[in-house]
Amino acid sequence: MPIQENSQLDDQIAFDGDVSFSGGQASNVRKNTIAEGAYSIGKNTDFDTFGNIVSRKGVAQLVGDVVDSVWGDITTNWESTSTVWTASLTGSVGSIAYFDTPTIEKIVVAESDTSGGTYKVKIVGETGSIADTGGTFSSTADSVYFAQLVDRMYYCDGVGNLAYIDDASVSQSITAGKVTSIEVTDTGSEFSQAPDVTISSGTGLGATADSVLGYGGKVQRIDVTNAGSGYSADEPPLVSISHSHHSGSHYASAVAHISQTPNKPKLLISHTNRLFCTSADTAVPSDTLYVSDILDGESWDTIGNAIRVGDGTGDPITAIASWYSYNLLVFKERSVWVIEANPAVAVADWPIKLINNRVGCVAHKTVQQVGSDVFFLASDGVRSLSTIESGAQTDVSTPLSAPINDQFKQNTDGFQSKSCSAFYDKRYLISVCSNGIEVPNRTYVYNTEQKSWSGFWTGWQPNDFAVTGFSGKTRLQFGDQTGKIFTWLNFIELNDESESFYLDQTTTYETELVTRAYNFKEIYAPKTGYQVEFDLDNELAQDQQISFFLLKNMDGYESQILQENGYEVQSEDNDDLTQTFLDELESDVVIGNGKRHFVKGFNLLSKGKFEDIQFVVATDSGRLSLHSVKTSAFPDTINPQR
């Protein structure tokens, strides 16, 4: 235990500090009231297993002449391979989705090439090979929505018609009036061979089908061999099953389903073997939800299987999400609802329950299931469904993002809907448009293991995230504004790391931590600093350079918020605080390579008096790994009159 009194000076010494940082960023709190274990600002910071602050991992580009998308298996130093990084996508990647069937594993991409005026749906393989599916979307679309149902990836843009990509990676249009499927309503029995199936002409023509027998001579299914055209969904054709090879008295019967899709579909998702969507058609009420037939994304009853969610107040649907069991979450601008979409119950009879009538969702790509919970972006920050459910409907809970809601206040007005998110490796990542930028440029990360925000990440511009499973390996990838698809290198084990894994492709990024304000549990007296000690490590083979600074009395400053621009510490109003508050302890301190534990201490006696003090630990590149900050000071006599 350190000596708490200096007998030569007759001064009692006080201690403060943090031996863990698992409390996360708390920038929306006065700096001298932040709880122990939390900090003021974390830039490009993450947690390790023990709650230490470490630099986030970088990303590597997937598209182009990539030899292997699993970067941990590459034997050549990929940062020195010049041919790997030639991207073939020439436009912005607006949306992506992982398409996984028994025969293919692909990333489906909506690419906007504004220079060439082409807006195409493309497909990217595991090695980065890019192919054109033949699909397109509108240049006026706000977003492209993907949803996989069985072996098809359906997509829409809120402007044109619903379409899909088949398991041959080819885009197919959906034409209304086709026989998409035939449902066996009675299997019959005792057929000696598969009976002939006849489809009446009705209003259309050309449809044919074959039956398949199962056990006991029962008609197991009927396969459509020609979808025909011109059929009416209001008066579907009759399906007749021949009895010429039937010896029993139990006949078979079936009904035809005709292709029909909502007009201008958007917010497309898959749930309980159906597709769900809303419509961008202004003639359709904005709270209308459309439901497809089971296992058939081409067959919709836009009258009988359309339901209105809510009380008809005009609160529009902004997001839809599949939840546990049969539950479907419907987010509106000002409310949240849940529908029990039981396939055994008629759509019109599905129970609809209000969860909350004061909180809604502003960006459909921010909705993520996190365990049994669901996170989403509301108008006042990130919300958690479980905290909303636990309170009364008239008592709205505090946003999950309350500790960093000052950061969300910097979101670019009018562009909240462009925000996107992912849940991967116990982290909820949400990227938003910030500080006037009109594309997502800041990513905030909530660690569900530590139950806190690790900070904000810069250098990324993700328009959409996707969790992929190429060759059974789960990875987080995102498409960005420049037409690139990146893979987050968080799957690299520490023992396999090098400094190259702390690059965004080939670009370095800085890591910066601003601690809470240490007042040594003394709120009255000014203090004279004695010392500060930083405990770090370096697990890499390369030396790391770390810089240390201090900030004094920041809680007396009117803005309360720090933003970093390099080592120029600025206020919220862009006032340079470097000369006023920032004091360098030492820059570019070298931490030796090879699993080194490193302790760096500084004498604070010459730094002047302060009410409270913060420290900044930063690196221009590479990996920062900070275990603790320990500091001490001498409280002075209280001035009775000022």
Short mmCIF file of all heavy atoms in Angstrom, two decimals, residues 11-16 30-33 516-531 550-555 603-615 631-639 642:
data_model
loop_
_atom_site.label_atom_id
_atom_site.label_comp_id
_atom_site.label_asym_id
_atom_site.label_seq_id
_atom_site.Cartn_x
_atom_site.Cartn_y
_atom_site.Cartn_z
N ASP A 11 2.17 16.82 4.06
CA ASP A 11 1.00 16.83 3.19
C ASP A 11 0.48 15.41 3.02
O ASP A 11 1.26 14.47 2.85
CB ASP A 11 1.34 17.40 1.80
CG ASP A 11 1.56 18.90 1.83
OD1 ASP A 11 1.02 19.54 2.73
OD2 ASP A 11 2.28 19.40 0.94
N GLN A 12 -0.82 15.30 3.07
CA GLN A 12 -1.44 14.00 2.81
C GLN A 12 -1.59 13.82 1.31
O GLN A 12 -1.95 14.75 0.60
CB GLN A 12 -2.81 13.91 3.49
CG GLN A 12 -3.46 12.54 3.34
CD GLN A 12 -4.76 12.44 4.10
OE1 GLN A 12 -5.20 13.41 4.68
NE2 GLN A 12 -5.36 11.27 4.09
N ILE A 13 -1.31 12.62 0.83
CA ILE A 13 -1.38 12.35 -0.60
C ILE A 13 -2.68 11.60 -0.91
O ILE A 13 -3.14 10.78 -0.12
CB ILE A 13 -0.16 11.53 -1.07
CG1 ILE A 13 -0.06 11.54 -2.60
CG2 ILE A 13 -0.18 10.11 -0.53
CD1 ILE A 13 1.27 11.01 -3.12
N ALA A 14 -3.30 11.94 -2.04
CA ALA A 14 -4.56 11.32 -2.46
C ALA A 14 -4.34 10.57 -3.76
O ALA A 14 -3.48 10.93 -4.58
CB ALA A 14 -5.64 12.38 -2.64
N PHE A 15 -5.15 9.52 -3.96
CA PHE A 15 -4.98 8.64 -5.12
C PHE A 15 -6.27 8.57 -5.94
O PHE A 15 -7.37 8.73 -5.43
CB PHE A 15 -4.60 7.23 -4.67
CG PHE A 15 -3.35 7.18 -3.83
CD1 PHE A 15 -3.44 7.15 -2.44
CD2 PHE A 15 -2.10 7.17 -4.42
CE1 PHE A 15 -2.31 7.11 -1.67
CE2 PHE A 15 -0.96 7.14 -3.64
CZ PHE A 15 -1.06 7.11 -2.27
N ASP A 16 -6.10 8.32 -7.21
CA ASP A 16 -7.22 8.10 -8.10
C ASP A 16 -6.72 7.29 -9.29
O ASP A 16 -5.51 7.05 -9.44
CB ASP A 16 -7.82 9.43 -8.57
CG ASP A 16 -9.33 9.34 -8.83
OD1 ASP A 16 -9.80 8.21 -9.09
OD2 ASP A 16 -10.01 10.37 -8.78
N ARG A 30 -20.81 14.79 -17.11
CA ARG A 30 -19.74 15.69 -16.67
C ARG A 30 -18.49 14.89 -16.38
O ARG A 30 -18.54 13.84 -15.75
CB ARG A 30 -20.17 16.47 -15.42
CG ARG A 30 -21.12 17.62 -15.69
CD ARG A 30 -21.39 18.40 -14.41
NE ARG A 30 -20.17 18.99 -13.86
CZ ARG A 30 -19.73 20.21 -14.16
NH1 ARG A 30 -20.39 20.95 -15.02
NH2 ARG A 30 -18.63 20.68 -13.61
N LYS A 31 -17.37 15.41 -16.81
CA LYS A 31 -16.13 14.63 -16.79
C LYS A 31 -15.73 14.19 -15.39
O LYS A 31 -15.15 13.13 -15.20
CB LYS A 31 -14.99 15.45 -17.41
CG LYS A 31 -15.32 16.02 -18.80
CD LYS A 31 -15.62 14.91 -19.80
CE LYS A 31 -16.01 15.47 -21.15
NZ LYS A 31 -17.36 16.05 -21.18
N ASN A 32 -16.04 15.00 -14.36
CA ASN A 32 -15.64 14.64 -13.00
C ASN A 32 -16.70 13.84 -12.25
O ASN A 32 -16.56 13.59 -11.06
CB ASN A 32 -15.25 15.89 -12.19
CG ASN A 32 -16.37 16.91 -12.11
OD1 ASN A 32 -17.48 16.66 -12.60
ND2 ASN A 32 -16.08 18.06 -11.51
N THR A 33 -17.78 13.45 -12.96
CA THR A 33 -18.77 12.56 -12.33
C THR A 33 -18.87 11.22 -13.07
O THR A 33 -19.74 10.42 -12.74
CB THR A 33 -20.15 13.23 -12.30
OG1 THR A 33 -20.57 13.53 -13.64
CG2 THR A 33 -20.12 14.51 -11.49
N ARG A 516 -11.57 9.82 -17.75
CA ARG A 516 -12.47 10.66 -16.96
C ARG A 516 -11.64 11.69 -16.20
O ARG A 516 -10.40 11.60 -16.15
CB ARG A 516 -13.29 9.81 -16.00
CG ARG A 516 -12.47 9.07 -14.95
CD ARG A 516 -13.33 8.11 -14.14
NE ARG A 516 -12.54 7.32 -13.22
CZ ARG A 516 -12.29 7.64 -11.95
NH1 ARG A 516 -12.78 8.78 -11.45
NH2 ARG A 516 -11.58 6.86 -11.18
N ALA A 517 -12.29 12.68 -15.61
CA ALA A 517 -11.59 13.70 -14.84
C ALA A 517 -11.36 13.18 -13.42
O ALA A 517 -12.32 12.92 -12.68
CB ALA A 517 -12.39 15.00 -14.81
N TYR A 518 -10.12 13.03 -13.03
CA TYR A 518 -9.77 12.54 -11.70
C TYR A 518 -9.73 13.72 -10.73
O TYR A 518 -8.97 14.68 -10.91
CB TYR A 518 -8.40 11.86 -11.73
CG TYR A 518 -8.33 10.67 -12.66
CD1 TYR A 518 -7.42 10.63 -13.71
CD2 TYR A 518 -9.19 9.59 -12.50
CE1 TYR A 518 -7.35 9.54 -14.57
CE2 TYR A 518 -9.14 8.49 -13.35
CZ TYR A 518 -8.22 8.48 -14.39
OH TYR A 518 -8.16 7.40 -15.23
N ASN A 519 -10.57 13.67 -9.71
CA ASN A 519 -10.56 14.72 -8.68
C ASN A 519 -10.10 14.18 -7.33
O ASN A 519 -10.16 14.88 -6.33
CB ASN A 519 -11.93 15.37 -8.55
CG ASN A 519 -13.02 14.40 -8.12
OD1 ASN A 519 -12.74 13.25 -7.75
ND2 ASN A 519 -14.27 14.83 -8.20
N PHE A 520 -9.66 12.92 -7.31
CA PHE A 520 -9.08 12.30 -6.12
C PHE A 520 -10.06 12.29 -4.95
O PHE A 520 -9.66 12.37 -3.80
CB PHE A 520 -7.77 13.00 -5.75
CG PHE A 520 -6.78 13.03 -6.88
CD1 PHE A 520 -6.79 14.06 -7.80
CD2 PHE A 520 -5.87 12.00 -7.04
CE1 PHE A 520 -5.90 14.08 -8.85
CE2 PHE A 520 -4.99 12.01 -8.10
CZ PHE A 520 -4.99 13.04 -9.02
N LYS A 521 -11.37 12.24 -5.35
CA LYS A 521 -12.45 12.20 -4.35
C LYS A 521 -12.41 13.42 -3.44
O LYS A 521 -12.81 13.36 -2.27
CB LYS A 521 -12.41 10.89 -3.55
CG LYS A 521 -12.57 9.66 -4.43
CD LYS A 521 -12.47 8.38 -3.62
CE LYS A 521 -12.70 7.16 -4.50
NZ LYS A 521 -11.75 7.05 -5.62
N GLU A 522 -11.93 14.51 -3.98
CA GLU A 522 -11.85 15.77 -3.25
C GLU A 522 -12.46 16.86 -4.13
O GLU A 522 -11.88 17.27 -5.14
CB GLU A 522 -10.39 16.10 -2.93
CG GLU A 522 -10.17 17.48 -2.34
CD GLU A 522 -11.00 17.71 -1.09
OE1 GLU A 522 -10.69 17.12 -0.05
OE2 GLU A 522 -11.99 18.48 -1.19
N ILE A 523 -13.69 17.30 -3.77
CA ILE A 523 -14.41 18.23 -4.63
C ILE A 523 -14.18 19.69 -4.27
O ILE A 523 -14.60 20.59 -5.00
CB ILE A 523 -15.93 17.93 -4.61
CG1 ILE A 523 -16.49 18.15 -3.19
CG2 ILE A 523 -16.21 16.52 -5.11
CD1 ILE A 523 -18.00 18.02 -3.13
N TYR A 524 -13.52 19.96 -3.12
CA TYR A 524 -13.36 21.34 -2.67
C TYR A 524 -12.02 21.93 -3.09
O TYR A 524 -11.94 22.95 -3.76
CB TYR A 524 -13.51 21.43 -1.14
CG TYR A 524 -14.91 21.18 -0.65
CD1 TYR A 524 -15.24 19.97 -0.07
CD2 TYR A 524 -15.88 22.17 -0.74
CE1 TYR A 524 -16.53 19.73 0.38
CE2 TYR A 524 -17.17 21.94 -0.29
CZ TYR A 524 -17.49 20.72 0.28
OH TYR A 524 -18.75 20.49 0.72
N ALA A 525 -10.97 21.29 -2.65
CA ALA A 525 -9.65 21.92 -2.70
C ALA A 525 -8.99 21.75 -4.06
O ALA A 525 -9.18 20.75 -4.74
CB ALA A 525 -8.76 21.30 -1.62
N PRO A 526 -8.19 22.73 -4.48
CA PRO A 526 -7.31 22.51 -5.63
C PRO A 526 -6.23 21.50 -5.26
O PRO A 526 -5.99 21.23 -4.09
CB PRO A 526 -6.72 23.90 -5.88
CG PRO A 526 -6.82 24.61 -4.56
CD PRO A 526 -8.06 24.08 -3.91
N LYS A 527 -5.60 20.94 -6.27
CA LYS A 527 -4.61 19.91 -6.04
C LYS A 527 -3.31 20.25 -6.74
O LYS A 527 -3.30 20.95 -7.76
CB LYS A 527 -5.07 18.53 -6.55
CG LYS A 527 -6.28 17.95 -5.83
CD LYS A 527 -7.55 18.30 -6.54
CE LYS A 527 -8.77 17.77 -5.81
NZ LYS A 527 -10.02 18.31 -6.41
N THR A 528 -2.26 19.72 -6.19
CA THR A 528 -0.96 19.74 -6.84
C THR A 528 -0.62 18.31 -7.23
O THR A 528 -0.56 17.42 -6.37
CB THR A 528 0.13 20.29 -5.91
OG1 THR A 528 -0.20 21.63 -5.55
CG2 THR A 528 1.49 20.26 -6.61
N GLY A 529 -0.46 18.07 -8.51
CA GLY A 529 -0.20 16.71 -8.97
C GLY A 529 1.14 16.19 -8.49
O GLY A 529 2.11 16.95 -8.37
N TYR A 530 1.19 14.89 -8.21
CA TYR A 530 2.44 14.27 -7.77
C TYR A 530 3.00 13.35 -8.86
O TYR A 530 4.13 13.51 -9.31
CB TYR A 530 2.22 13.50 -6.47
CG TYR A 530 3.49 12.89 -5.92
CD1 TYR A 530 4.60 13.69 -5.66
CD2 TYR A 530 3.57 11.53 -5.63
CE1 TYR A 530 5.78 13.15 -5.15
CE2 TYR A 530 4.74 10.98 -5.13
CZ TYR A 530 5.84 11.78 -4.89
OH TYR A 530 7.00 11.24 -4.41
N GLN A 531 2.19 12.39 -9.33
CA GLN A 531 2.66 11.48 -10.38
C GLN A 531 1.48 10.83 -11.07
O GLN A 531 0.35 10.85 -10.58
CB GLN A 531 3.60 10.42 -9.82
CG GLN A 531 3.01 9.54 -8.72
CD GLN A 531 2.17 8.36 -9.24
OE1 GLN A 531 1.02 8.22 -8.85
NE2 GLN A 531 2.72 7.55 -10.12
N LEU A 550 -1.94 15.60 -20.88
CA LEU A 550 -2.87 15.83 -19.78
C LEU A 550 -3.77 17.02 -20.11
O LEU A 550 -3.40 17.91 -20.88
CB LEU A 550 -2.14 16.03 -18.45
CG LEU A 550 -1.20 17.23 -18.28
CD1 LEU A 550 -1.97 18.48 -17.85
CD2 LEU A 550 -0.12 16.91 -17.25
N LEU A 551 -4.95 17.01 -19.52
CA LEU A 551 -5.93 18.10 -19.64
C LEU A 551 -6.35 18.50 -18.23
O LEU A 551 -6.62 17.63 -17.40
CB LEU A 551 -7.16 17.64 -20.42
CG LEU A 551 -6.97 17.34 -21.90
CD1 LEU A 551 -8.10 16.44 -22.40
CD2 LEU A 551 -6.94 18.63 -22.70
N LYS A 552 -6.40 19.82 -17.98
CA LYS A 552 -6.75 20.29 -16.64
C LYS A 552 -8.05 21.09 -16.67
O LYS A 552 -8.27 21.89 -17.57
CB LYS A 552 -5.62 21.15 -16.08
CG LYS A 552 -4.31 20.41 -15.85
CD LYS A 552 -3.30 21.25 -15.09
CE LYS A 552 -2.92 22.51 -15.85
NZ LYS A 552 -1.86 23.27 -15.13
N ASN A 553 -8.90 20.83 -15.66
CA ASN A 553 -10.07 21.67 -15.39
C ASN A 553 -11.02 21.79 -16.57
O ASN A 553 -11.62 22.83 -16.80
CB ASN A 553 -9.62 23.07 -14.94
CG ASN A 553 -8.71 23.03 -13.75
OD1 ASN A 553 -8.85 22.16 -12.88
ND2 ASN A 553 -7.75 23.94 -13.70
N MET A 554 -11.19 20.71 -17.30
CA MET A 554 -12.07 20.76 -18.46
C MET A 554 -13.53 20.92 -18.08
O MET A 554 -14.33 21.40 -18.88
CB MET A 554 -11.90 19.50 -19.31
CG MET A 554 -10.64 19.50 -20.14
SD MET A 554 -10.59 20.88 -21.29
CE MET A 554 -12.03 20.55 -22.27
N ASP A 555 -13.93 20.54 -16.87
CA ASP A 555 -15.33 20.65 -16.50
C ASP A 555 -15.76 22.09 -16.31
O ASP A 555 -16.93 22.39 -16.25
CB ASP A 555 -15.62 19.84 -15.24
CG ASP A 555 -15.92 18.40 -15.58
OD1 ASP A 555 -16.83 18.17 -16.39
OD2 ASP A 555 -15.23 17.52 -15.08
N ASN A 603 6.26 12.65 -13.53
CA ASN A 603 6.17 13.55 -12.40
C ASN A 603 5.25 14.71 -12.77
O ASN A 603 5.43 15.36 -13.80
CB ASN A 603 7.58 14.07 -12.07
CG ASN A 603 7.62 14.85 -10.76
OD1 ASN A 603 6.67 15.53 -10.40
ND2 ASN A 603 8.75 14.76 -10.07
N LEU A 604 4.26 15.00 -11.91
CA LEU A 604 3.28 16.05 -12.18
C LEU A 604 3.50 17.30 -11.34
O LEU A 604 2.72 18.25 -11.44
CB LEU A 604 1.86 15.52 -11.94
CG LEU A 604 1.40 14.33 -12.78
CD1 LEU A 604 -0.03 13.93 -12.39
CD2 LEU A 604 1.45 14.66 -14.27
N LEU A 605 4.56 17.33 -10.53
CA LEU A 605 4.74 18.45 -9.61
C LEU A 605 4.92 19.78 -10.34
O LEU A 605 4.56 20.84 -9.82
CB LEU A 605 5.95 18.19 -8.71
CG LEU A 605 5.75 17.11 -7.64
CD1 LEU A 605 7.07 16.77 -6.97
CD2 LEU A 605 4.74 17.58 -6.61
N SER A 606 5.44 19.71 -11.55
CA SER A 606 5.70 20.95 -12.28
C SER A 606 4.54 21.38 -13.16
O SER A 606 4.64 22.36 -13.91
CB SER A 606 6.95 20.77 -13.16
OG SER A 606 6.72 19.76 -14.14
N LYS A 607 3.43 20.66 -13.12
CA LYS A 607 2.32 20.92 -14.05
C LYS A 607 1.28 21.91 -13.51
O LYS A 607 0.28 22.16 -14.17
CB LYS A 607 1.63 19.60 -14.41
CG LYS A 607 2.56 18.58 -15.07
CD LYS A 607 3.19 19.13 -16.35
CE LYS A 607 4.09 18.12 -17.01
NZ LYS A 607 4.72 18.66 -18.24
N GLY A 608 1.51 22.47 -12.35
CA GLY A 608 0.60 23.47 -11.83
C GLY A 608 -0.59 22.87 -11.10
O GLY A 608 -0.79 21.65 -11.06
N LYS A 609 -1.36 23.74 -10.51
CA LYS A 609 -2.52 23.31 -9.72
C LYS A 609 -3.72 23.05 -10.63
O LYS A 609 -3.81 23.59 -11.73
CB LYS A 609 -2.88 24.36 -8.67
CG LYS A 609 -1.80 24.59 -7.62
CD LYS A 609 -2.28 25.59 -6.58
CE LYS A 609 -1.18 25.90 -5.58
NZ LYS A 609 -0.79 24.68 -4.82
N PHE A 610 -4.65 22.27 -10.12
CA PHE A 610 -5.86 21.94 -10.88
C PHE A 610 -6.97 21.51 -9.93
O PHE A 610 -6.69 21.09 -8.80
CB PHE A 610 -5.59 20.84 -11.91
CG PHE A 610 -4.95 19.60 -11.33
CD1 PHE A 610 -5.72 18.62 -10.71
CD2 PHE A 610 -3.57 19.41 -11.40
CE1 PHE A 610 -5.14 17.48 -10.18
CE2 PHE A 610 -2.99 18.27 -10.86
CZ PHE A 610 -3.76 17.30 -10.25
N GLU A 611 -8.22 21.61 -10.40
CA GLU A 611 -9.35 21.05 -9.66
C GLU A 611 -9.49 19.56 -9.98
O GLU A 611 -9.74 18.75 -9.10
CB GLU A 611 -10.64 21.78 -10.04
CG GLU A 611 -10.67 23.25 -9.68
CD GLU A 611 -10.71 23.48 -8.18
OE1 GLU A 611 -11.20 22.58 -7.47
OE2 GLU A 611 -10.28 24.55 -7.73
N ASP A 612 -9.37 19.23 -11.26
CA ASP A 612 -9.36 17.83 -11.68
C ASP A 612 -8.51 17.73 -12.93
O ASP A 612 -8.22 18.72 -13.60
CB ASP A 612 -10.77 17.29 -11.92
CG ASP A 612 -11.64 18.23 -12.73
OD1 ASP A 612 -11.22 18.59 -13.84
OD2 ASP A 612 -12.73 18.62 -12.25
N ILE A 613 -8.11 16.50 -13.24
CA ILE A 613 -7.15 16.30 -14.32
C ILE A 613 -7.54 15.08 -15.14
O ILE A 613 -8.04 14.08 -14.59
CB ILE A 613 -5.72 16.15 -13.75
CG1 ILE A 613 -4.67 16.17 -14.86
CG2 ILE A 613 -5.60 14.88 -12.92
CD1 ILE A 613 -3.25 16.32 -14.34
N GLN A 614 -7.40 15.18 -16.45
CA GLN A 614 -7.62 14.06 -17.37
C GLN A 614 -6.32 13.76 -18.11
O GLN A 614 -5.46 14.63 -18.25
CB GLN A 614 -8.71 14.40 -18.39
CG GLN A 614 -10.09 14.59 -17.80
CD GLN A 614 -11.07 15.13 -18.83
OE1 GLN A 614 -11.29 16.33 -18.90
NE2 GLN A 614 -11.64 14.23 -19.62
N PHE A 615 -6.24 12.53 -18.60
CA PHE A 615 -5.06 12.14 -19.36
C PHE A 615 -5.48 11.61 -20.72
O PHE A 615 -6.55 11.02 -20.87
CB PHE A 615 -4.26 11.08 -18.60
CG PHE A 615 -3.76 11.56 -17.26
CD1 PHE A 615 -4.44 11.24 -16.09
CD2 PHE A 615 -2.63 12.37 -17.18
CE1 PHE A 615 -3.99 11.69 -14.86
CE2 PHE A 615 -2.19 12.83 -15.95
CZ PHE A 615 -2.86 12.50 -14.79
N THR A 631 -2.87 7.58 -10.60
CA THR A 631 -2.32 8.92 -10.39
C THR A 631 -2.49 9.33 -8.92
O THR A 631 -3.33 8.78 -8.19
CB THR A 631 -3.01 9.94 -11.32
OG1 THR A 631 -2.40 11.21 -11.17
CG2 THR A 631 -4.50 10.03 -11.04
N SER A 632 -1.68 10.30 -8.50
CA SER A 632 -1.73 10.80 -7.12
C SER A 632 -1.51 12.30 -7.11
O SER A 632 -0.94 12.88 -8.05
CB SER A 632 -0.67 10.10 -6.25
OG SER A 632 0.63 10.32 -6.78
N ALA A 633 -1.98 12.94 -6.05
CA ALA A 633 -1.87 14.39 -5.94
C ALA A 633 -1.96 14.80 -4.48
O ALA A 633 -2.38 14.02 -3.61
CB ALA A 633 -2.97 15.07 -6.75
N PHE A 634 -1.58 16.07 -4.21
CA PHE A 634 -1.69 16.65 -2.88
C PHE A 634 -2.83 17.66 -2.86
O PHE A 634 -2.77 18.68 -3.55
CB PHE A 634 -0.39 17.37 -2.48
CG PHE A 634 0.80 16.47 -2.40
CD1 PHE A 634 1.79 16.55 -3.37
CD2 PHE A 634 0.94 15.55 -1.37
CE1 PHE A 634 2.90 15.73 -3.30
CE2 PHE A 634 2.05 14.73 -1.30
CZ PHE A 634 3.04 14.81 -2.27
N PRO A 635 -3.90 17.38 -2.11
CA PRO A 635 -4.95 18.40 -1.96
C PRO A 635 -4.41 19.59 -1.17
O PRO A 635 -3.71 19.42 -0.16
CB PRO A 635 -6.05 17.68 -1.18
CG PRO A 635 -5.75 16.22 -1.37
CD PRO A 635 -4.27 16.12 -1.48
N ASP A 636 -4.72 20.81 -1.64
CA ASP A 636 -4.27 22.02 -0.95
C ASP A 636 -5.31 22.47 0.07
O ASP A 636 -6.43 21.96 0.11
CB ASP A 636 -4.03 23.15 -1.96
CG ASP A 636 -2.80 22.90 -2.80
OD1 ASP A 636 -2.06 21.94 -2.50
OD2 ASP A 636 -2.59 23.65 -3.79
N THR A 637 -4.93 23.45 0.87
CA THR A 637 -5.85 24.01 1.85
C THR A 637 -6.98 24.74 1.12
O THR A 637 -6.76 25.43 0.12
CB THR A 637 -5.11 25.00 2.77
OG1 THR A 637 -4.02 24.32 3.37
CG2 THR A 637 -6.06 25.55 3.83
N ILE A 638 -8.19 24.58 1.62
CA ILE A 638 -9.34 25.22 1.01
C ILE A 638 -9.26 26.73 1.21
O ILE A 638 -8.98 27.21 2.31
CB ILE A 638 -10.64 24.68 1.61
CG1 ILE A 638 -10.76 23.18 1.35
CG2 ILE A 638 -11.86 25.42 1.04
CD1 ILE A 638 -11.94 22.54 2.04
N ASN A 639 -9.48 27.46 0.15
CA ASN A 639 -9.53 28.93 0.24
C ASN A 639 -10.92 29.32 0.76
O ASN A 639 -11.92 29.08 0.09
CB ASN A 639 -9.28 29.53 -1.14
CG ASN A 639 -9.17 31.04 -1.09
OD1 ASN A 639 -9.48 31.68 -0.09
ND2 ASN A 639 -8.72 31.63 -2.20
N ARG A 642 -13.23 33.69 -2.04
CA ARG A 642 -12.66 33.96 -3.36
C ARG A 642 -13.32 35.18 -3.97
O ARG A 642 -14.48 35.45 -3.70
CB ARG A 642 -12.88 32.74 -4.28
CG ARG A 642 -12.17 31.50 -3.77
CD ARG A 642 -12.25 30.39 -4.79
NE ARG A 642 -11.67 29.15 -4.28
CZ ARG A 642 -11.54 28.04 -4.99
NH1 ARG A 642 -11.94 28.00 -6.23
NH2 ARG A 642 -11.00 26.97 -4.46
#
